[in-house]
Amino acid sequence: QSGYTEPSMVDELTGLYNRNWMNDKLERYLQRGNTNNQPGCLVMLEMDGYDKFSDEFGMLGADLALRSIAHSMLTCLRPDDQAGHYMGPKFSIFLPNTSSLSDAGIAGERLRIAIKNAPVVLPSGDALPVISVSLGIAQARQNDRLATLIERAMNALHQAQVSGGNCVKLETCRL
């Protein structure tokens, strides 16, 4: 059977939405937020020490770690929150109807702890080391562009990483 097939909206590895779907969905959330003055926050999350972890435990171990992060995201987030696999060890989460960075920070901290407490086990039954993540959070602003919102969340993520990782950082507001 041949013909047009629609590109998948789900990342095969993690079972989360893929980056293209997330970007399209986030653009629509931002447009709706600008029209209806609906708040929202973007969380960028990255596994700490992914390259070293991958070198030590191979592709299977790294894939299991990413799947564990995705599973924790799905169990911790609200039904309307949108989670996606951004690329490599990075994930994005949009928290609609979240009107303050502090509320988003609480959700981010809850997720960080859940990921740290989730065991990652090889098919052999061997447990892998605890994984940790860094999170950066930015709040959508009136007339925000997706690229600028992602940039602000990535800057907050970078601040989390340079401060040692395994933490949540909120964007610094510059109006």
Side-chain angles (χ1 to χ4, degrees), residues 52-88:
K52 183 179 177 192
F53 192 94
S54 180
D55 288 346
E56 189 169 342
F57 301 104
M59 189 183 321
L60 176 61
D63 285 354
L64 289 171
L66 295 178
R67 284 188 191 121
S68 177
I69 291 170
H71 178 74
S72 294
M73 290 168 68
L74 291 173
T75 58
C76 280
L77 298 175
R78 302 171 301 184
D80 289 341
D81 296 341
Q82 302 295 318
H85 186 200
Y86 192 72
M87 73 173 139

Side-chain angles (χ1 to χ4, degrees), residues 46-175:
E46 185 169 357
M47 180 178 163
D48 296 326
Y50 176 80
D51 291 337
K52 183 179 177 192
F53 192 94
S54 180
D55 288 346
E56 189 169 342
F57 301 104
M59 189 183 321
L60 176 61
D63 285 354
L64 289 171
L66 295 178
R67 284 188 191 121
S68 177
I69 291 170
H71 178 74
S72 294
M73 290 168 68
L74 291 173
T75 58
C76 280
L77 298 175
R78 302 171 301 184
D80 289 341
D81 296 341
Q82 302 295 318
H85 186 200
Y86 192 72
M87 73 173 139
K90 285 188 177 78
F91 297 84
S92 59
I93 306 160
F94 188 73
L95 307 172
N97 301 313
T98 304
S99 58
S100 75
L101 277 171
S102 61
D103 288 346
I106 292 167
E109 182 63 15
R110 187 174 57 243
L111 178 57
R112 185 194 66 76
I113 291 168
I115 290 168
K116 191 169 179 136
N117 290 334
V120 181
V121 181
L122 292 170
S124 65
D126 294 332
L128 296 178
V130 170
I131 55 175
S132 65
V133 294
S134 297
L135 296 90
I137 303 175
Q139 186 170 20
R141 301 174 186 162
Q142 192 67 30
N143 299 317
D144 234 343
R145 309 262 330 162
L146 179 58
T148 57
L149 179 60
I150 290 172
E151 180 181 8
R152 292 196 320 271
M154 289 291 233
N155 287 340
L157 172 61
H158 178 72
Q159 290 304 311
Q161 292 168 324
V162 298
S163 66
N166 192 29
C167 64
V168 177
K169 293 290 183 181
L170 308 177
E171 74 173 321
T172 53
C173 293
R174 291 186 194 123
L175 298 175

